[in-house]
Coordinates of all heavy atoms in Angstrom, one line a residue:
M1 N 22.5 -25.1 33.8 CA 22.6 -26.5 34.1 C 22.3 -27.3 32.9 O 21.4 -27.0 32.1 CB 21.6 -26.8 35.3 CG 21.6 -28.3 35.6 SD 20.5 -28.5 37.0 CE 21.1 -30.1 37.6
Y2 N 23.0 -28.4 32.7 CA 22.8 -29.3 31.5 C 21.5 -30.1 31.7 O 21.4 -30.8 32.7 CB 24.0 -30.2 31.3 CG 23.9 -31.1 30.2 CD1 24.0 -30.7 28.9 CD2 23.7 -32.5 30.4 CE1 23.9 -31.5 27.8 CE2 23.6 -33.3 29.3 CZ 23.7 -32.8 28.0 OH 23.6 -33.7 26.9
K3 N 20.6 -30.1 30.8 CA 19.4 -30.9 30.8 C 19.4 -32.0 29.8 O 19.5 -31.7 28.6 CB 18.2 -30.0 30.7 CG 16.9 -30.7 30.9 CD 15.8 -29.7 30.8 CE 14.4 -30.4 30.9 NZ 13.3 -29.5 30.7
R4 N 19.2 -33.2 30.2 CA 19.2 -34.3 29.2 C 17.8 -34.6 28.7 O 16.8 -34.4 29.4 CB 19.7 -35.6 29.9 CG 21.1 -35.8 29.9 CD 21.4 -37.2 30.4 NE 21.4 -38.2 29.4 CZ 22.4 -38.8 28.9 NH1 23.6 -38.6 29.5 NH2 22.3 -39.7 28.0
N5 N 17.7 -35.0 27.5 CA 16.5 -35.3 26.8 C 16.0 -36.6 27.4 O 16.7 -37.6 27.6 CB 16.7 -35.5 25.3 CG 15.4 -35.7 24.6 OD1 14.4 -35.9 25.2 ND2 15.5 -35.7 23.3
K6 N 14.7 -36.7 27.8 CA 14.1 -37.9 28.4 C 14.3 -39.1 27.5 O 14.6 -40.2 28.0 CB 12.7 -37.8 28.7 CG 12.4 -36.9 29.9 CD 10.9 -36.9 30.1 CE 10.5 -36.1 31.4 NZ 9.1 -36.1 31.6
G7 N 14.1 -39.0 26.2 CA 14.2 -40.1 25.3 C 15.7 -40.6 25.1 O 15.9 -41.7 24.6
T8 N 16.6 -39.8 25.4 CA 18.0 -40.1 25.2 C 18.4 -41.4 26.0 O 19.1 -42.2 25.5 CB 18.9 -39.0 25.6 OG1 18.6 -37.8 24.9 CG2 20.4 -39.3 25.4
E9 N 18.0 -41.5 27.2 CA 18.4 -42.6 28.0 C 17.8 -43.9 27.5 O 18.6 -44.9 27.4 CB 17.9 -42.4 29.5 CG 18.6 -41.3 30.2 CD 18.1 -41.0 31.5 OE1 17.2 -41.7 32.0 OE2 18.5 -40.0 32.1
S10 N 16.6 -43.9 27.0 CA 16.1 -45.1 26.4 C 16.8 -45.5 25.1 O 17.0 -46.7 24.8 CB 14.6 -45.0 26.2 OG 14.3 -44.0 25.3
V11 N 17.1 -44.5 24.3 CA 17.9 -44.8 23.1 C 19.2 -45.4 23.4 O 19.6 -46.4 22.8 CB 18.1 -43.5 22.3 CG1 19.1 -43.7 21.2 CG2 16.8 -43.0 21.8
E12 N 19.9 -44.8 24.4 CA 21.2 -45.4 24.8 C 21.1 -46.8 25.2 O 21.9 -47.7 24.9 CB 21.8 -44.6 25.9 CG 22.3 -43.2 25.5 CD 22.8 -42.4 26.7 OE1 22.6 -42.8 27.8 OE2 23.3 -41.3 26.4
K13 N 20.1 -47.2 26.0 CA 19.9 -48.6 26.4 C 19.6 -49.5 25.3 O 20.2 -50.6 25.2 CB 18.7 -48.6 27.4 CG 19.0 -48.1 28.8 CD 17.8 -48.2 29.7 CE 18.1 -47.5 31.0 NZ 16.9 -47.5 31.9
L14 N 18.8 -49.1 24.3 CA 18.5 -49.9 23.2 C 19.7 -50.1 22.3 O 20.0 -51.2 21.9 CB 17.4 -49.3 22.3 CG 15.9 -49.4 22.9 CD1 15.0 -48.6 22.0 CD2 15.5 -50.8 22.8
V15 N 20.4 -49.0 22.1 CA 21.5 -49.1 21.2 C 22.7 -49.9 21.8 O 23.3 -50.8 21.2 CB 22.0 -47.7 20.8 CG1 23.3 -47.8 20.0 CG2 21.0 -47.0 19.9
K16 N 23.0 -49.7 23.1 CA 24.0 -50.4 23.7 C 23.7 -51.9 23.9 O 24.6 -52.7 23.9 CB 24.3 -49.7 25.1 CG 25.0 -48.4 24.9 CD 25.4 -47.8 26.2 CE 26.1 -46.4 26.0 NZ 26.4 -45.7 27.2
N17 N 22.5 -52.2 24.0 CA 22.1 -53.6 24.1 C 21.8 -54.2 22.8 O 21.3 -55.3 22.6 CB 20.9 -53.8 25.0 CG 21.2 -53.4 26.5 OD1 22.3 -53.5 26.9 ND2 20.2 -52.9 27.2
R18 N 22.1 -53.4 21.7 CA 21.9 -53.8 20.3 C 20.4 -54.1 20.0 O 20.1 -55.0 19.2 CB 22.8 -55.0 19.9 CG 24.2 -54.5 19.7 CD 24.1 -53.5 18.6 NE 25.5 -53.3 18.0 CZ 25.8 -52.2 17.5 NH1 25.0 -51.2 17.5 NH2 27.0 -52.1 17.0
G19 N 19.5 -53.4 20.6 CA 18.1 -53.5 20.3 C 17.8 -52.8 19.0 O 16.7 -53.1 18.5
K20 N 18.7 -52.0 18.6 CA 18.4 -51.3 17.3 C 19.6 -51.4 16.4 O 20.8 -51.3 16.8 CB 18.2 -49.8 17.6 CG 16.9 -49.4 18.2 CD 16.9 -47.9 18.5 CE 15.9 -47.2 17.5 NZ 15.8 -45.8 17.8
K21 N 19.4 -51.8 15.2 CA 20.4 -51.9 14.2 C 20.6 -50.6 13.4 O 21.6 -50.2 13.0 CB 20.1 -53.0 13.2 CG 21.1 -53.2 12.1 CD 20.8 -54.4 11.3 CE 21.8 -54.6 10.1 NZ 21.5 -55.7 9.3
F22 N 19.5 -49.9 13.2 CA 19.4 -48.6 12.5 C 19.0 -47.5 13.4 O 18.1 -47.7 14.2 CB 18.5 -48.7 11.3 CG 18.9 -49.7 10.3 CD1 18.3 -51.0 10.3 CD2 19.7 -49.4 9.3 CE1 18.7 -51.9 9.3 CE2 20.1 -50.3 8.3 CZ 19.6 -51.6 8.3
V23 N 19.6 -46.4 13.3 CA 19.3 -45.2 14.1 C 19.2 -44.0 13.1 O 19.6 -44.0 12.0 CB 20.3 -44.9 15.1 CG1 20.4 -46.0 16.2 CG2 21.7 -44.7 14.5
R24 N 18.6 -42.9 13.7 CA 18.5 -41.7 12.9 C 19.8 -40.9 13.3 O 20.6 -41.2 14.2 CB 17.3 -40.9 13.3 CG 16.1 -41.6 12.7 CD 14.8 -40.8 12.9 NE 13.7 -41.6 12.4 CZ 12.7 -41.0 11.8 NH1 12.7 -39.7 11.5 NH2 11.7 -41.7 11.4
L25 N 19.9 -39.8 12.6 CA 21.1 -38.9 12.7 C 21.4 -38.5 14.2 O 22.5 -38.7 14.7 CB 21.0 -37.7 11.9 CG 22.2 -36.7 11.9 CD1 23.4 -37.3 11.4 CD2 21.8 -35.4 11.1
E26 N 20.4 -38.0 14.9 CA 20.6 -37.5 16.2 C 21.1 -38.6 17.2 O 21.9 -38.5 18.0 CB 19.4 -36.8 16.8 CG 19.0 -35.6 16.0 CD 18.3 -35.8 14.7 OE1 17.9 -37.0 14.4 OE2 18.2 -34.9 13.9
E27 N 20.4 -39.8 17.0 CA 20.7 -40.9 17.9 C 22.2 -41.4 17.6 O 22.9 -41.7 18.6 CB 19.8 -42.1 17.6 CG 18.3 -41.8 18.0 CD 17.4 -42.8 17.5 OE1 17.6 -43.4 16.4 OE2 16.3 -43.0 18.1
G28 N 22.6 -41.5 16.4 CA 23.9 -42.0 16.0 C 25.0 -41.0 16.5 O 26.0 -41.5 17.0
A29 N 24.8 -39.7 16.3 CA 25.7 -38.8 16.8 C 25.9 -38.8 18.3 O 27.0 -38.8 18.8 CB 25.3 -37.4 16.4
E30 N 24.8 -39.0 19.0 CA 24.9 -39.1 20.5 C 25.6 -40.4 20.9 O 26.4 -40.4 21.8 CB 23.5 -39.0 21.1 CG 23.6 -39.0 22.6 CD 22.3 -38.6 23.2 OE1 21.4 -38.0 22.5 OE2 22.1 -38.9 24.4
Y31 N 25.3 -41.5 20.2 CA 25.8 -42.8 20.5 C 27.4 -42.8 20.4 O 28.1 -43.3 21.3 CB 25.3 -43.8 19.6 CG 25.8 -45.2 19.8 CD1 25.5 -45.9 21.0 CD2 26.6 -45.8 18.9 CE1 26.1 -47.2 21.2 CE2 27.2 -47.1 19.1 CZ 26.9 -47.8 20.2 OH 27.4 -49.0 20.4
Y32 N 27.9 -42.1 19.4 CA 29.3 -42.1 19.2 C 30.0 -40.8 19.8 O 31.2 -40.6 19.6 CB 29.7 -42.2 17.7 CG 29.4 -43.5 17.1 CD1 28.3 -43.8 16.3 CD2 30.3 -44.6 17.4 CE1 28.1 -45.0 15.8 CE2 30.0 -45.9 16.9 CZ 28.9 -46.1 16.1 OH 28.7 -47.3 15.6
S33 N 29.2 -40.0 20.4 CA 29.6 -38.8 21.1 C 30.4 -37.8 20.2 O 31.5 -37.4 20.5 CB 30.5 -39.2 22.3 OG 29.8 -39.9 23.2
V34 N 29.8 -37.6 19.0 CA 30.3 -36.7 18.0 C 29.2 -35.8 17.5 O 28.0 -36.1 17.8 CB 31.0 -37.4 16.8 CG1 32.2 -38.3 17.3 CG2 30.0 -38.3 16.1
G35 N 29.6 -34.8 16.8 CA 28.6 -33.9 16.2 C 27.9 -34.6 15.1 O 28.3 -35.6 14.5
K36 N 26.7 -34.0 14.7 CA 25.9 -34.5 13.6 C 26.7 -34.6 12.3 O 26.6 -35.5 11.5 CB 24.6 -33.7 13.4 CG 23.7 -33.9 14.6 CD 22.5 -33.0 14.3 CE 21.6 -32.9 15.5 NZ 20.4 -32.0 15.3
N37 N 27.4 -33.5 12.0 CA 28.1 -33.5 10.7 C 29.2 -34.5 10.6 O 29.5 -35.1 9.6 CB 28.7 -32.1 10.4 CG 27.6 -31.1 10.1 OD1 26.6 -31.4 9.6 ND2 27.8 -29.8 10.4
T38 N 29.9 -34.7 11.8 CA 31.0 -35.7 11.8 C 30.4 -37.1 11.6 O 30.9 -37.9 10.9 CB 31.7 -35.6 13.2 OG1 32.3 -34.3 13.3 CG2 32.8 -36.7 13.3
F39 N 29.3 -37.4 12.4 CA 28.6 -38.7 12.2 C 28.2 -38.9 10.8 O 28.4 -40.0 10.3 CB 27.5 -38.8 13.2 CG 26.7 -40.1 13.1 CD1 27.3 -41.2 13.6 CD2 25.5 -40.2 12.4 CE1 26.6 -42.5 13.5 CE2 24.9 -41.4 12.3 CZ 25.4 -42.5 12.9
R40 N 27.6 -37.9 10.2 CA 27.1 -38.0 8.8 C 28.2 -38.4 7.9 O 28.1 -39.2 7.0 CB 26.4 -36.7 8.4 CG 25.7 -36.8 7.1 CD 25.1 -35.5 6.6 NE 24.0 -35.1 7.5 CZ 23.9 -34.0 8.3 NH1 24.9 -33.1 8.2 NH2 22.9 -33.7 9.0
K41 N 29.4 -37.7 8.0 CA 30.5 -37.9 7.2 C 31.1 -39.4 7.4 O 31.3 -40.1 6.4 CB 31.6 -36.9 7.5 CG 33.0 -37.1 6.8 CD 32.9 -36.8 5.3 CE 34.3 -36.8 4.7 NZ 34.6 -37.9 3.9
W42 N 31.2 -39.8 8.6 CA 31.7 -41.1 8.9 C 30.7 -42.2 8.3 O 31.2 -43.2 7.7 CB 31.8 -41.4 10.4 CG 32.9 -40.7 11.1 CD1 33.9 -39.9 10.5 CD2 33.2 -40.6 12.5 NE1 34.7 -39.4 11.5 CE2 34.3 -39.9 12.7 CE3 32.5 -41.2 13.6 CZ2 34.8 -39.6 14.0 CZ3 33.0 -41.0 14.8 CH2 34.2 -40.2 15.0
A43 N 29.4 -41.9 8.4 CA 28.5 -42.9 7.9 C 28.5 -43.0 6.4 O 28.4 -44.1 5.8 CB 27.1 -42.5 8.4
Q44 N 28.7 -41.9 5.7 CA 28.9 -41.9 4.3 C 30.1 -42.7 3.9 O 30.1 -43.5 3.0 CB 28.9 -40.5 3.7 CG 27.6 -39.8 3.8 CD 27.7 -38.3 3.4 OE1 28.8 -37.7 3.3 NE2 26.5 -37.7 3.1
D45 N 31.2 -42.4 4.6 CA 32.5 -43.1 4.3 C 32.3 -44.6 4.6 O 33.0 -45.4 3.9 CB 33.6 -42.6 5.1 CG 34.0 -41.2 4.7 OD1 33.6 -40.7 3.6 OD2 34.7 -40.5 5.5
A46 N 31.5 -45.0 5.5 CA 31.3 -46.4 5.9 C 30.3 -47.1 5.0 O 30.2 -48.3 5.1 CB 30.9 -46.5 7.4
G47 N 29.6 -46.4 4.2 CA 28.5 -47.0 3.4 C 27.4 -47.4 4.3 O 26.7 -48.4 4.0
A48 N 27.1 -46.7 5.3 CA 26.1 -47.1 6.3 C 24.8 -46.2 6.2 O 24.0 -46.2 7.1 CB 26.7 -47.0 7.7
V49 N 24.6 -45.5 5.1 CA 23.5 -44.6 5.0 C 22.4 -45.3 4.1 O 22.7 -45.8 3.0 CB 23.9 -43.3 4.3 CG1 22.7 -42.3 4.2 CG2 25.0 -42.6 5.1
Y50 N 21.2 -45.3 4.7 CA 20.0 -45.8 4.0 C 18.9 -44.8 3.9 O 18.5 -44.3 4.9 CB 19.5 -47.1 4.7 CG 20.5 -48.2 4.7 CD1 21.5 -48.3 5.6 CD2 20.3 -49.3 3.8 CE1 22.4 -49.3 5.6 CE2 21.2 -50.3 3.8 CZ 22.3 -50.3 4.7 OH 23.2 -51.4 4.7
R51 N 18.5 -44.4 2.7 CA 17.5 -43.4 2.5 C 16.2 -44.2 2.0 O 16.2 -44.8 0.9 CB 17.9 -42.4 1.5 CG 19.0 -41.5 2.1 CD 19.3 -40.3 1.2 NE 20.3 -39.5 1.8 CZ 21.6 -39.7 1.6 NH1 22.1 -40.7 0.9 NH2 22.5 -38.9 2.2
I52 N 15.2 -44.0 2.7 CA 13.9 -44.6 2.4 C 12.9 -43.5 2.4 O 12.6 -43.0 3.5 CB 13.5 -45.7 3.4 CG1 14.6 -46.8 3.5 CG2 12.2 -46.4 3.0 CD1 14.6 -47.7 4.7
N53 N 12.3 -43.2 1.3 CA 11.4 -42.1 1.1 C 12.1 -40.8 1.6 O 13.2 -40.4 1.1 CB 10.1 -42.3 1.7 CG 9.3 -43.4 1.0 OD1 9.5 -43.6 -0.2 ND2 8.5 -44.2 1.8
R54 N 11.6 -40.2 2.7 CA 12.2 -39.0 3.2 C 12.9 -39.3 4.5 O 13.3 -38.4 5.3 CB 11.2 -37.9 3.4 CG 10.6 -37.4 2.1 CD 9.7 -36.3 2.3 NE 8.5 -36.7 3.0 CZ 7.6 -35.9 3.5 NH1 7.7 -34.6 3.4 NH2 6.5 -36.4 4.1
I55 N 13.1 -40.5 4.9 CA 13.8 -40.9 6.1 C 15.2 -41.4 5.8 O 15.4 -42.2 4.9 CB 13.0 -42.0 6.9 CG1 11.6 -41.5 7.2 CG2 13.8 -42.5 8.1 CD1 10.7 -42.6 7.7
T56 N 16.2 -41.0 6.6 CA 17.6 -41.4 6.5 C 17.9 -42.2 7.7 O 17.7 -41.7 8.8 CB 18.5 -40.3 6.3 OG1 18.1 -39.5 5.2 CG2 20.0 -40.8 6.1
L57 N 18.3 -43.4 7.5 CA 18.7 -44.3 8.6 C 20.2 -44.7 8.5 O 20.7 -44.7 7.4 CB 17.9 -45.6 8.7 CG 16.4 -45.4 8.9 CD1 15.7 -46.7 8.7 CD2 16.1 -44.8 10.2
Y58 N 20.8 -45.0 9.6 CA 22.3 -45.3 9.7 C 22.4 -46.6 10.3 O 21.9 -46.9 11.4 CB 23.0 -44.2 10.4 CG 22.8 -42.8 9.8 CD1 21.8 -42.0 10.2 CD2 23.7 -42.4 8.8 CE1 21.6 -40.8 9.6 CE2 23.5 -41.1 8.2 CZ 22.4 -40.3 8.6 OH 22.3 -39.1 8.0
N59 N 23.2 -47.5 9.7 CA 23.5 -48.9 10.1 C 24.6 -48.9 11.1 O 25.8 -48.6 10.7 CB 23.8 -49.7 8.9 CG 23.9 -51.2 9.3 OD1 24.4 -51.5 10.3 ND2 23.5 -52.0 8.4
L60 N 24.3 -49.2 12.4 CA 25.4 -49.2 13.4 C 26.4 -50.3 13.2 O 27.6 -50.1 13.6 CB 24.7 -49.3 14.8 CG 23.9 -48.1 15.2 CD1 23.3 -48.3 16.6 CD2 24.7 -46.8 15.2
E61 N 26.0 -51.4 12.7 CA 26.9 -52.5 12.5 C 28.0 -52.1 11.5 O 29.2 -52.3 11.7 CB 26.2 -53.7 12.0 CG 25.3 -54.4 13.0 CD 24.5 -55.5 12.5 OE1 24.6 -55.9 11.3 OE2 23.8 -56.1 13.3
K62 N 27.6 -51.4 10.4 CA 28.6 -51.0 9.4 C 29.5 -49.8 10.0 O 30.7 -49.8 9.7 CB 27.9 -50.5 8.1 CG 27.4 -51.6 7.3 CD 26.9 -51.0 6.0 CE 26.5 -52.2 5.1 NZ 26.1 -51.7 3.7
M63 N 28.9 -49.0 10.8 CA 29.6 -47.9 11.5 C 30.7 -48.5 12.4 O 31.8 -48.1 12.4 CB 28.7 -47.0 12.3 CG 27.8 -46.1 11.5 SD 28.7 -44.9 10.5 CE 29.5 -44.0 11.9
D64 N 30.3 -49.5 13.2 CA 31.3 -50.2 14.1 C 32.5 -50.8 13.3 O 33.6 -50.6 13.7 CB 30.6 -51.3 14.9 CG 29.7 -50.7 16.0 OD1 29.9 -49.5 16.4 OD2 28.9 -51.4 16.5
E65 N 32.2 -51.5 12.2 CA 33.2 -52.1 11.4 C 34.1 -51.0 10.8 O 35.4 -51.2 10.8 CB 32.6 -52.9 10.2 CG 31.9 -54.1 10.6 CD 31.2 -54.8 9.5 OE1 31.4 -54.4 8.3 OE2 30.4 -55.7 9.8
F66 N 33.6 -49.9 10.4 CA 34.3 -48.8 9.8 C 35.3 -48.2 10.9 O 36.5 -48.1 10.6 CB 33.4 -47.8 9.2 CG 34.1 -46.5 8.8 CD1 34.8 -46.5 7.6 CD2 34.0 -45.3 9.5 CE1 35.4 -45.3 7.1 CE2 34.6 -44.2 9.1 CZ 35.3 -44.2 7.9
L67 N 34.7 -47.9 12.0 CA 35.5 -47.3 13.1 C 36.6 -48.3 13.6 O 37.7 -47.8 13.9 CB 34.6 -46.8 14.2 CG 33.7 -45.7 13.8 CD1 32.7 -45.3 14.9 CD2 34.5 -44.4 13.4
E68 N 36.3 -49.5 13.7 CA 37.3 -50.5 14.2 C 38.4 -50.7 13.2 O 39.5 -51.1 13.6 CB 36.6 -51.8 14.5 CG 35.7 -51.8 15.7 CD 34.9 -53.0 15.9 OE1 35.1 -54.0 15.1 OE2 34.1 -53.1 16.9
S69 N 38.2 -50.3 11.9 CA 39.3 -50.4 11.0 C 40.4 -49.4 11.3 O 41.5 -49.6 10.7 CB 38.8 -50.2 9.5 OG 38.4 -48.9 9.3
F70 N 40.2 -48.4 12.1 CA 41.2 -47.4 12.5 C 41.9 -47.8 13.8 O 42.7 -47.0 14.3 CB 40.5 -46.1 12.6 CG 40.0 -45.5 11.3 CD1 38.6 -45.6 11.0 CD2 40.8 -44.9 10.4 CE1 38.2 -45.1 9.8 CE2 40.4 -44.4 9.2 CZ 39.0 -44.5 8.9
E71 N 41.6 -49.0 14.3 CA 42.2 -49.4 15.6 C 43.7 -49.5 15.5 O 44.3 -50.0 14.5 CB 41.7 -50.7 16.0 CG 42.2 -51.2 17.3 CD 41.6 -52.6 17.7 OE1 40.8 -53.1 17.0 OE2 41.9 -53.0 18.8
E72 N 44.4 -48.9 16.4 CA 45.9 -48.9 16.4 C 46.4 -50.1 17.1 O 45.9 -50.6 18.1 CB 46.4 -47.7 17.1 CG 46.2 -46.4 16.4 CD 46.9 -45.2 17.1 OE1 47.8 -45.4 17.9 OE2 46.4 -44.1 16.9
E73 N 47.4 -50.7 16.5 CA 48.0 -51.9 17.2 C 49.2 -51.4 18.1 O 49.9 -50.4 17.7 CB 48.6 -52.8 16.1 CG 47.5 -53.4 15.3 CD 48.1 -54.4 14.3 OE1 49.2 -54.9 14.5 OE2 47.4 -54.7 13.3
N74 N 49.3 -52.0 19.2 CA 50.4 -51.6 20.2 C 51.7 -52.2 19.8 O 51.9 -53.2 19.4 CB 50.0 -51.9 21.6 CG 48.8 -51.0 22.0 OD1 48.7 -49.9 21.6 ND2 47.9 -51.6 22.8

């Protein structure tokens, strides 16, 4: 049986309501429903990676802009 992390639901609420501008790797990968390596690659391509001491944060606003640039026109 699939077991969800308790903290996951609160992260989803904060992120979806834009309570957080920056997230860590695990939160970002879960938010976009992709693997950690895919999320990391996209974030690097988007210029959304911030390293502060030993912490790496990812800017969701830059990620959204980057991903929206791939939107197909009908």
Side-chain angles (χ1 to χ4, degrees):
M1 179 176 199
Y2 179 72
K3 184 177 178 182
R4 275 186 86 113
N5 184 354
K6 284 184 178 181
T8 302
E9 292 174 7
S10 62
V11 169
E12 288 175 352
K13 287 179 185 176
L14 283 172
V15 171
K16 287 182 181 177
N17 294 331
R18 282 302 197 208
K20 287 178 110 175
K21 179 177 178 179
F22 296 94
V23 295
R24 292 190 183 215
L25 178 64
E26 294 80 12
E27 296 169 330
E30 185 169 340
Y31 178 69
Y32 289 106
S33 301
V34 297
K36 292 178 188 178
N37 289 331
T38 300
F39 178 75
R40 188 181 294 121
K41 173 75 170 101
W42 288 356
Q44 289 173 345
D45 292 346
V49 181
Y50 294 81
R51 289 187 180 89
I52 304 166
N53 294 329
R54 293 185 293 167
I55 298 171
T56 302
L57 299 174
Y58 301 88
N59 184 326
L60 293 180
E61 291 175 357
K62 286 189 176 186
M63 288 293 299
D64 287 341
E65 290 174 14
F66 174 74
L67 294 173
E68 288 173 4
S69 70
F70 294 99
E71 183 178 3
E72 290 185 22
E73 294 182 23
N74 292 328

